[in-house]
Amino acid sequence: MTCYLYSAVRTPFGRFNGALSGVRPDDLSARVITGLLDRVPELDPAAIDEVVWGNANGAGEDNRNVGRMAALLAGLPTSVPGTTVNRLCGSSLDAAMIGSRAIETGDADIVLAGGVESMTRAPWVLPKPSRGFPPGDLTAVSTTLGWRLVNPRMPKEWTVSLGEANERLGEKYAVTRERQDAFALRSHRLATAAWAEGFYDHLVVPTDGLARDEGVRSDSSLDQLAALKPSFRPDGTITAGNASPLSDGASALLLGSRAAADRIGVEPLARIAGRGASALDPQEFGYAPVEAAERALARAGIGWDQVGAVELNEAFAVQSLVCVDAWGIDPEIVNARGGAIAIGHPLGASGGRILGTLAGVLRERRERWGVAAICIGVGQGLAIVLENLESLENAAVTA
């Protein structure tokens, strides 16, 4: 059996401490699920076989299986099961991969996948003491981003900060600060144009008064980016301007078999044609999408010469550039409607965002094949190949 993508929506992505900071992650999830179901009014929610939801932190209001909580808060019947997936930044792309496998094996006909992150509301945590009433002080640890409560048996080189890891990646592949700033500016300009041209109107559900991505800077310039101080090393190349910001948001995807179209009430947008996962040394996580995409393409039976669009999550400009260089592809097909540097990167939601955006770009450009790829902390990468079904219909009409 084959799995298809029927619909994709997301909330606008809000800035850290911004417009969505007052919304719990389980409520963000429920609202994007409701927004998705509004797009397919003929679908009986009771027909959903499974909710698979991505979430990276899970230490606060998103604890205790936020996927199940979101389904209940969205009003889905209690008979619809739900689970939560944690593959850090790749969580919602992993949710789509898991859901697609369930459909391909016949375990499900309709799966609601997606993910959420409120990085603003990620709590501080205290480790439990090994015995009651310890005499010393305890330190609260932020769960917003990066390593925390690290096992001392982990090699030190594995547990460097995300920024330091990418400074090393930039050194290894000789990626200059100028290239990174230019890539970041491109992200803002393309996202600004996409919003102005209405590209995101159907992909984004206004949420709590926020109608557009809050981090897009239409007035950004190379001079402004060049003036920013390095964030991780005094002489480094990574700044707040050429890395993705901390963000809040949620994304949702409706997956189904071909036979499910009548119950869903709409035709599918794209076919999930290949999946790939890869892993390497934790500090080299930014390079992991390279092999993940190669594996996904091999399983789809195509090569880079057939790919018309790529959505690569822009965790950092440097790792994005390294991946694009390694693939040897035309940079202009990558993130043609802006990327995470401008739009934002709420960890558990970003995979769903890039997959939904990829489907939209493929249809807009009438391209057949596309790749969605994402790097993941602790040394992993994921990728999915989509086949645009509208391109096949157009080819059939032309023939």
Side-chain angles (χ1 to χ4, degrees), residues 13-16 119 144-145 188 214-217 239-248 314-316 339-347 350:
F13 285 178
R15 291 178 183 169
F16 189 82
M119 300 182 80
T144 301
L145 182 68
H188 284 284
E214 204 173 7
V216 179
R217 297 181 181 275
T239 71
N242 59 35
S244 60
L246 305 179
S247 310
D248 306 329
E314 299 168 353
F316 295 85
I341 289 173
I343 292 167
H345 179 22
L347 308 179
S350 290

Side-chain angles (χ1 to χ4, degrees), residues 10-327:
R10 64 176 176 89
T11 68
F13 285 178
R15 291 178 183 169
F16 189 82
N17 282 326
L20 299 181
S21 62
V23 188
R24 290 172 55 112
D26 47 1
D27 283 327
L28 273 177
S29 301
R31 289 168 199 182
V32 80
I33 289 173
T34 301
L36 180 69
L37 294 178
D38 286 345
R39 307 291 176 89
V40 285
E42 292 184 30
L43 174 63
D44 179 0
I48 298 171
D49 294 300
E50 184 83 69
V51 174
V52 186
W53 212 246
N55 179 239
N57 278 321
E61 296 157 338
D62 44 6
N63 76 91
R64 304 294 293 172
N65 190 0
V66 67
R68 171 65 170 169
M69 301 299 175
L72 295 173
L73 290 167
L76 270 63
T78 57
S79 58
V80 177
T83 190
T84 300
V85 179
N86 184 347
R87 206 193 287 241
L88 301 180
C89 302
S91 295
S92 52
L93 199 63
D94 204 11
M97 294 168 77
I98 291 168
S100 67
R101 291 189 192 104
I103 290 165
E104 289 173 7
T105 60
D107 287 345
D109 275 329
I110 301 172
V111 174
L112 199 163
V116 67
E117 211 73 54
S118 175
M119 300 182 80
T120 300
R121 299 177 73 87
W124 294 279
V125 298
L126 288 173
K128 270 190 176 179
S130 56
R131 57 188 176 85
F133 306 108
D137 295 332
L138 292 174
T139 301
V141 177
S142 172
T143 64
T144 301
L145 182 68
W147 292 88
R148 76 290 302 255
L149 304 177
V150 179
N151 191 311
R153 296 194 299 110
M154 282 281 188
K156 296 295 183 185
E157 64 268 24
W158 286 1
T159 61
V160 298
S161 73
L162 304 181
E164 173 60 23
N166 278 278
E167 287 284 9
R168 296 181 186 184
L169 194 68
E171 285 181 337
K172 182 177 180 179
Y173 292 98
V175 180
T176 65
R177 164 78 180 268
E178 290 74 22
R179 277 193 77 194
Q180 294 175 56
D181 286 349
F183 184 86
L185 180 62
R186 174 182 182 269
S187 185
H188 284 284
R189 287 180 172 172
L190 292 176
T192 297
W195 275 109
E197 294 164 13
F199 174 80
Y200 285 117
D201 290 353
H202 189 67
L203 284 170
V204 175
V205 179
T207 304
D208 285 72
L210 184 63
R212 292 193 172 195
D213 299 310
E214 204 173 7
V216 179
R217 297 181 181 275
S218 59
D219 59 349
S220 185
S221 70
L222 283 178
D223 288 342
Q224 290 175 332
L225 291 167
L228 296 174
K229 294 181 179 180
S231 298
F232 303 101
R233 294 181 181 179
D235 60 345
T237 63
I238 299 174
T239 71
N242 59 35
S244 60
L246 305 179
S247 310
D248 306 329
S251 61
L253 308 160
L254 187 63
L255 307 174
S257 66
R258 192 66 183 87
D262 289 342
R263 284 183 290 161
I264 293 172
V266 298
E267 289 298 305
L269 302 173
R271 176 176 73 93
I272 293 183
R275 296 175 294 260
S278 66
L280 35 63
D281 287 353
Q283 73 275 20
E284 296 181 358
F285 73 94
Y287 195 77
V290 173
E291 180 61 24
E294 297 287 356
R295 293 179 182 181
L297 287 167
R299 286 163 185 159
I302 64 167
W304 280 113
D305 60 327
Q306 295 169 271
V307 173
V310 174
E311 284 295 316
L312 172 64
N313 192 58
E314 299 168 353
F316 295 85
V318 62
Q319 63 82 207
S320 301
L321 288 165
V322 166
C323 290
V324 173
D325 290 349
W327 289 326

